[in-house]
């Protein structure tokens, strides 16, 4: 996990979810890129974040794109966040004894039977053990630091703009104390009718 | 000790690599070209395990060429880089993997934009404005942080490259004395003398 | 049966006594303009076992100095004992308490004197300087030290320190138009931060919890302390510094 560095966090708000990552790519202590996003859109309302070994991150991104496309074609509908979480889990577990070194974080808005959208977050370890949290999920080299901040700053039912501020402050202050994460941040806030995407300037050391 | 650099500028990419072929402490050759021309607008500097490097570079070269013959057009830099990355990533989890690090620079003729990709032997890939592999990276990256300009003219870009090469010559214990420098822009690929 | 012959055939064996262990817990101190707050949880553990739910990690040294010790608790106990002894000798020789900056330097020399068999402890010293300002000094196990406005140490340092960076130093925050951030926080805010920091750390770290002990050292005529719940005055010195003790419960799971 420390080979390339990087961190991801996702949080639940009131009828919205947020997911954020840092932008560093390193080769151990050497910084290689300051523009390496670790979050990717899967559908219009599912975002997947991954931290860990960068080569596996790209490989899994390609794999998930393929598998989600196949799902969409066969089912003739978009995949739901819960379903996608289990897809991620089983893809990782297929490699139980020679895993991809990735800890995924999923943020999305899932459809309820009444047609409303409900916030959804989940995370998994590198062999696909899912964690459906109600508040926030973290992964990466700054995970302990993110936990400390998120536990103190997060509160239930935050509005989109407040959730944006909470997740941004959580991530930025955590990665500033982590040598393997940082070099800028990327934040997405998913709401009912739009996705707010912002790139944050942060300490570059 | 192998060194390779690459940087983008206004509508071009410069790729440079040293020309020494070494076995242990002995220099076997000082004029080896370690930059392959993959297509009319694509360059690839390769370094790493001797043997793996040339084998993999030629494999890439032939496959990119095959695509061009079959489809009557060349892969874009981003598509080529993705294919190369995937080849390395698949090789990594095979019984014998290639230990090759790459800098892939190209000019996208559809968008008229230069692109540069940093790829290591694990299959890690990122698009960058400038980059380096080998011991040269410890000297060049800080210089490029200071002097790189994405809108610089070719002359300015080459001057920046010269700074990197000079710094490596000055500070690296076993520094290469010759480099091959290639440029790719809208007119295609060409070699330049520093 | 023990067979001498077969042992001899097994070749050389080595056994090493490990003189250190790690007892978990977290400490924290924040300095204000004319006060200093020093806090620590009271859980003591070894591995996954809790040894006790009440083992103090924060100790009052003088009327204006409080020391928090974290790491290997046996070393911690011994170290505090030795510091207190040196401070008593100082009192006998000079008929006054040692100034806090001098205590800091004393701690450095005491730690460094054990450079090659260190006390496995992280120290945070808090109190009031001679000029009346609140201060915090933090140390590593071999005596490197620094005066700062706030510091967390111990098991949950990585959880708490970035929170303090954000809330005490206002890192990554920008003041609004015609506004500025205070250089020192008022006491009620500091106490809130301390309690928040420890409840958060308790939630996510298995080695933190059970109880929270907070010491507040106040300058002579400071009006900083309010009628807070469960505040207990410990000492009032002739010079006028007042030391208060606050205890809070933390989750025990």
């Amino acid at each position: 996990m420390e080979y390339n560095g990087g961190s991801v966090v996702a949080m639940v708000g009131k009828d919205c979810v947020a997911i954020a990552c840092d932008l560093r790519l390193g080769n151990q202590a050497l910084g290689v890129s300051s523009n390496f996003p670790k979050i990717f859109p899967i559908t219009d309302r599912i975002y997947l974040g991954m931290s860990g070994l960068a080569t596996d991150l790209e490989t899994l991104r390609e794999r998930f794109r393929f598998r989600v496309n196949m799902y969409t074609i066969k089912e003739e509908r978009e995949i739901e966040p819960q379903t996608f979480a289990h897809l991620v889990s089983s893809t990782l577990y297929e490699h139980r004894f020679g895993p991809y070194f990735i800890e995924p974080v999923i943020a999305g808005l899932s459809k309820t039977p009444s047609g409303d959208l409900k916030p959804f977050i989940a995370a998994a370890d590198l062999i696909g053990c899912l964690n459906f949290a109600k508040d926030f999920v973290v992964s990466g080299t700054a995970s302990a630091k993110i936990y400390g901040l998120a536990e103190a700053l997060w509160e239930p039912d935050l509005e989109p703009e407040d959730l944006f501020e909470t997740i941004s402050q959580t991530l930025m202050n955590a990665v500033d104390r982590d040598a393997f994460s940082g070099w800028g941040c990327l934040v997405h806030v998913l709401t009912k009718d739009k996705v707010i995407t912002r790139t944050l300037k942060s300490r570059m050391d | 000790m192998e060194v390779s650099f690459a940087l983008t500028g206004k509508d071009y990419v410069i790729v440079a690599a040293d020309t020494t072929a070494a076995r242990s402490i002995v220099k076997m050759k000082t004029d080896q070209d370690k930059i392959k021309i993959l297509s009319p607008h694509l360059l690839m500097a390769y370094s790493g395990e001797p043997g793996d490097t040339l084998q993999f570079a030629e494999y890439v070269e032939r496959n990119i060429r095959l695509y061009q013959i079959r489809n009557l057009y060349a892969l874009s830099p981003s598509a080529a880089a993705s294919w190369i990355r995937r080849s390395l990533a698949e090789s990594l989890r095979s019984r014998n993997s290639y230990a090759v690090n790459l800098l892939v620079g190209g000019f996208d003729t559809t968008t008229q934009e230069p692109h540069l990709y940093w790829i290591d032997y694990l299959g890690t890939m990122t698009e960058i404005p400038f980059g380096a592999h080998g011991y040269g990276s410890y000297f060049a990256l800080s210089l490029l942080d200071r002097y790189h300009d994405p809108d610089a003219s070719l002359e300015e870009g080459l001057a920046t490259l010269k700074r990197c090469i000079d710094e490596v010559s000055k500070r690296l214990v076993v520094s290469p004395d010759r480099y091959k420098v290639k440029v790719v822009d809208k007119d295609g690929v060409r070699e330049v003398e520093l | 049966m023990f067979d001498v012959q077969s042992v001899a055939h097994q070749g050389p064996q080595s056994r090493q006594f490990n003189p250190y262990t790690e007892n978990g817990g977290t400490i924290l101190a924040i300095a204000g303009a004319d006060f200093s707050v020093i806090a620590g949880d009271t859980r003591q553990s070894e591995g996954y076992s809790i040894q006790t739910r009440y083992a103090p990690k924060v100790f009052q040294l003088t009327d204006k100095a409080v020391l928090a010790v974290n790491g290997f608790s046996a070393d911690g106990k011994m170290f505090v004992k030795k510091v207190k002894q040196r401070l008593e000798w100082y009192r006998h020789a000079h008929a006054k308490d040692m100034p806090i900056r001098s205590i800091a330097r004393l701690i450095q020399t005491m730690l460094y004197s054990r450079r090659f068999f260190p006390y496995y402890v992280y120290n945070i010293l808090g109190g009031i300087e001679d000029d009346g300002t609140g201060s915090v000094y933090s140390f590593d196990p071999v005596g490197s030290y620094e005066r700062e406005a706030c510091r967390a140490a111990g098991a949950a340092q990585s959880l708490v320190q970035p929170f303090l960076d954000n809330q005490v130093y206002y890192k990554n925050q920008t003041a609004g138009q015609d506004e500025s951030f205070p250089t020192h926080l008022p006491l009620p805010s500091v106490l809130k931060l301390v309690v928040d920091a420890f409840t958060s750390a308790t939630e996510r770290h298995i080695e933190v919890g059970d109880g929270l002990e907070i010491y507040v050292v106040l300058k002579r005529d400071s009006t900083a302390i309010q009628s807070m719940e469960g505040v207990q005055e410990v000492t009032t010195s002739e010079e006028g510094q007042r030391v208060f003790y606050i205890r809070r419960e933390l989750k025990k799971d």
Side-chain angles (χ1 to χ4, degrees):
Chain A
M1 294 293 148
E2 281 85 32
Y3 187 82
N4 297 121
S7 300
V8 186
V9 56
M11 284 177 175
V12 166
K14 188 171 164 51
D15 301 324
C16 59
V17 278
I19 182 165
C21 67
D22 71 322
L23 290 175
R24 182 181 181 269
L25 173 79
N27 219 206
Q28 303 195 2
L30 178 71
V32 171
S33 174
S34 56
N35 186 200
F36 192 79
K38 294 157 192 75
I39 301 172
F40 311 102
I42 300 299
T43 68
D44 289 346
R45 45 190 181 83
I46 304 174
Y47 276 68
L48 168 68
M50 293 183 275
S51 71
L53 194 68
T55 178
D56 290 346
L57 184 134
E58 190 63 28
T59 305
L60 280 175
R61 189 170 83 105
E62 288 169 7
R63 250 190 125 97
F64 290 138
R65 191 166 81 122
F66 170 74
R67 291 194 149 184
V68 168
N69 282 345
M70 292 306 285
Y71 182 97
T72 319
I73 294 164
K74 282 182 180 162
E75 297 275 324
E76 296 184 327
R77 65 184 170 92
E78 275 197 345
I79 196 167
E80 280 299 306
Q82 287 90 336
T83 323
F84 178 68
H86 284 98
L87 171 69
V88 169
S89 170
S90 43
T91 307
L92 290 171
Y93 197 80
E94 273 177 19
H95 303 270
R96 171 63 179 80
F97 297 110
Y100 287 119
F101 297 101
I102 288 290
E103 292 177 348
V105 163
I106 299 153
L109 295 167
S110 60
K111 267 216 170 70
T112 58
S114 60
D116 289 345
L117 290 176
K118 202 167 137 277
F120 173 89
I121 53 162
D125 65 6
L126 70 166
I127 52 168
C129 175
L130 282 169
N131 164 24
F132 302 105
K134 287 181 179 63
D135 43 11
F136 48 84
V137 283
V138 312
S139 101
T141 51
S143 57
K145 287 133 194 166
I146 300 174
Y147 269 131
L149 273 141
E151 195 62 58
L153 300 184
W154 184 86
E155 49 189 279
D157 296 325
L158 288 163
E159 295 295 329
E161 277 305 316
D162 298 330
L163 184 66
F164 166 77
E165 197 60 33
T166 307
I167 199 169
S168 303
Q169 290 294 331
T170 297
L171 187 67
M172 278 207 278
N173 290 287
V175 300
D176 283 354
R177 280 278 178 183
D178 184 26
F180 294 107
S181 301
W183 270 21
C185 299
L186 178 65
V187 185
H188 301 281
V189 184
L190 286 68
T191 65
K192 272 194 169 70
D193 40 39
K194 64 174 188 291
V195 179
I196 306 161
T197 300
R198 292 188 183 125
T199 307
L200 306 177
K201 285 190 176 178
S202 75
R203 289 181 70 102
M204 296 300 275
D205 58 357
Chain B
M1 292 188 189
E2 285 191 306
V3 173
S4 53
F5 309 119
L7 61 149
T8 57
K10 189 161 176 56
D11 306 328
Y12 65 84
V13 185
I14 305 172
V15 181
D18 72 286
T19 56
T20 44
R23 293 286 177 279
S24 178
I25 54 163
V26 184
K27 272 181 187 166
M28 309 297 285
K29 204 167 182 282
T30 54
D31 59 352
Q32 200 190 35
D33 187 355
K34 300 184 206 176
I35 309 172
K36 273 251 180 292
I37 299 166
L38 298 181
S39 74
H41 292 93
L42 198 60
L43 288 171
M44 179 175 82
Y46 52 91
S47 56
E49 185 71 24
D52 282 6
T53 48
L54 198 68
Q55 189 71 23
F56 183 75
E58 286 181 358
Y59 170 75
V60 169
E61 186 185 32
R62 293 298 93 202
N63 275 97
I64 299 276
R65 178 74 187 122
L66 177 62
Y67 185 95
Q68 204 175 332
I69 293 166
R70 278 181 173 164
N71 299 285
L72 304 175
Y73 65 91
L75 280 174
S76 69
S78 69
S82 288
W83 186 86
I84 296 166
R85 188 212 80 83
R86 191 183 250 248
S87 302
L88 277 172
E90 279 170 3
S91 127
L92 181 71
R93 290 180 194 274
S94 71
R95 225 146 49 80
N96 32 31
S97 59
Y98 290 114
V100 187
N101 299 316
L102 308 165
L103 289 166
V104 177
F107 188 81
D108 193 334
T109 46
T110 55
T111 58
Q112 298 289 307
E113 276 173 347
H115 291 283
L116 173 60
Y117 298 89
W118 182 97
I119 303 173
D120 76 0
Y121 72 101
L122 299 169
T124 312
M125 178 173 83
T126 181
E127 188 173 359
I128 43 167
F130 52 81
H133 275 301
Y135 287 106
S137 59
Y138 295 99
F139 304 94
L141 290 183
S142 51
L143 275 167
L144 288 162
D145 275 331
R146 176 66 185 79
Y147 294 109
H148 178 262
D149 173 7
D151 298 318
S153 67
L154 183 60
E155 289 66 39
E156 290 170 310
L158 289 169
T160 307
L161 176 68
K162 188 83 173 36
R163 281 184 193 272
C164 298
I165 289 171
D166 289 347
E167 187 67 15
V168 169
S169 306
K170 190 175 177 185
R171 296 292 179 185
L172 188 63
V173 180
V174 188
S175 59
D177 40 26
R178 289 188 61 216
Y179 289 84
K180 202 167 263 291
V181 183
K182 292 184 187 178
V183 174
V184 56
D185 59 15
K186 65 177 187 341
D187 304 321
V189 171
R190 64 181 180 282
E191 193 179 329
V192 290
E193 289 297 323
L194 271 186
Chain C
M1 261 288 276
F2 186 77
D3 186 359
V4 182
Q5 211 76 29
S6 69
V7 169
H9 282 293
Q10 278 167 12
Q13 290 208 339
S14 69
R15 237 163 280 254
Q16 247 275 67
F17 167 64
N18 181 197
Y20 292 122
T21 188
E22 176 92 57
N23 296 109
T26 280
I27 52 171
L28 151 65
I30 301 173
D34 58 355
F35 65 86
S36 187
V37 174
I38 306 93
D41 71 328
T42 64
R43 175 174 292 184
Q44 191 181 98
S45 58
E46 189 168 9
Y48 294 127
S49 306
I50 295 170
Q51 292 172 323
T52 170
R53 297 192 190 279
Y54 184 69
K57 277 195 277 290
V58 193
F59 303 95
Q60 192 179 353
L61 298 178
T62 66
D63 289 338
K64 55 189 174 186
V66 174
L67 182 63
V69 201
N70 195 232
F72 173 30
S73 73
D75 270 5
K77 272 208 164 77
M78 199 60 203
F79 186 70
V80 170
K81 195 170 162 179
K82 295 217 163 185
V83 173
K84 280 186 169 169
Q85 185 180 53
R86 293 287 293 267
L87 292 175
E88 189 172 327
W89 291 346
Y90 183 95
R91 258 192 308 275
H92 291 317
H94 299 92
K96 63 162 189 159
D97 276 339
M98 190 186 277
I100 201 150
R101 60 190 174 86
S102 313
I103 301 177
R105 181 61 66 85
L106 172 72
I107 289 174
Q108 167 174 71
T109 51
M110 288 176 70
L111 288 169
Y112 197 82
S113 68
R114 296 276 298 251
R115 174 62 180 77
F116 297 108
F117 185 23
Y119 287 110
Y120 191 55
V121 286
Y122 287 88
N123 284 290
I124 300 177
L125 175 69
I128 302 290
E129 294 285 340
D130 283 349
D131 65 5
T133 56
S135 70
V136 164
Y137 291 89
S138 64
F139 301 82
D140 80 350
V142 288
S144 285
Y145 80 112
E146 178 183 16
R147 186 182 169 182
E148 338 176 64
C150 74
R151 170 61 63 187
Q157 183 190 40
S158 61
L159 282 76
V160 175
Q161 189 66 52
F163 173 65
L164 262 29
D165 291 343
N166 187 222
Q167 299 292 316
V168 178
Y169 293 122
Y170 294 100
K171 287 275 167 67
N172 292 115
Q173 288 192 265
T174 335
Q177 203 101 56
D178 309 319
E179 284 178 346
S180 64
F181 293 124
T183 39
H184 292 287
L185 293 168
L187 183 58
S189 317
V190 168
L191 290 174
K192 273 185 196 145
L193 286 180
V194 170
V195 173
D196 275 5
F198 275 94
T199 40
S200 297
T202 303
E203 200 67 39
R204 292 287 176 176
H205 201 113
I206 55 169
E207 291 172 359
V208 182
D210 294 330
L212 170 60
E213 285 191 316
I214 308 171
Y215 280 82
V216 182
V217 190
L218 276 188
K219 190 189 158 190
R220 183 204 325 259
D221 32 337
S222 172
T223 53
I225 204 137
Q226 316 291 314
S227 52
M228 279 195 62
E229 188 200 337
V231 177
Q232 179 187 331
E233 186 149 355
V234 183
T235 55
T236 313
S237 70
E238 286 154 40
E239 287 177 65
Q241 289 94 4
R242 300 162 73 197
V243 179
F244 295 87
Y245 168 80
I246 304 167
R247 193 185 146 77
R248 288 288 134 93
E249 290 300 307
L250 291 172
K251 280 170 73 174
K252 291 178 173 53
D253 55 359

